[in-house]
Amino acid sequence: GFNRVFIPVMAFADFTQYSFRIFDRFGTMVFETTDPKEGWDGSYNGNTPGNNVFAWELRVVNIAGDELIRRGSVVLLR
């Protein structure tokens, strides 16, 4: 299948200062990582939720030293 893991792609960043988080519609954090090679597989506490929309937040420092914060949403379809 396609897109089994949701992972941001970014260039020209200092990945020593990296944070990627996923939240459910109630604001509960369901995933967090500081490893830029680790993505979200759609699970939460070992369970796989059904179709839903989740919010994501990416925090990283670019090579100029500026903190970048990006936010968006992702639709999980099972």
Side-chain angles (χ1 to χ4, degrees):
F2 297 101
N3 300 322
R4 297 237 178 239
V5 176
F6 178 58
I7 187 168
V9 177
M10 182 162 203
F12 308 109
D14 175 5
F15 291 110
T16 61
Q17 299 182 51
Y18 174 93
S19 172
F20 177 52
R21 303 186 304 172
I22 305 283
F23 302 89
D24 69 10
R25 64 182 175 187
F26 303 108
T28 302
M29 186 170 39
V30 298
F31 176 79
E32 179 178 33
T33 186
T34 57
D35 181 353
K37 296 177 183 173
E38 182 181 12
W40 182 52
D41 65 359
S43 65
Y44 175 55
N45 283 339
N47 298 317
T48 52
N51 300 348
N52 216 326
V53 177
F54 293 83
W56 59 266
E57 178 184 82
L58 173 66
R59 291 177 180 257
V60 68
V61 174
N62 66 15
I63 58 174
D66 302 319
E67 182 182 31
L68 303 175
I69 301 171
R70 300 291 184 258
R71 295 181 178 104
S73 60
V74 60
V75 177
L76 178 65
L77 300 175
R78 298 268 178 191

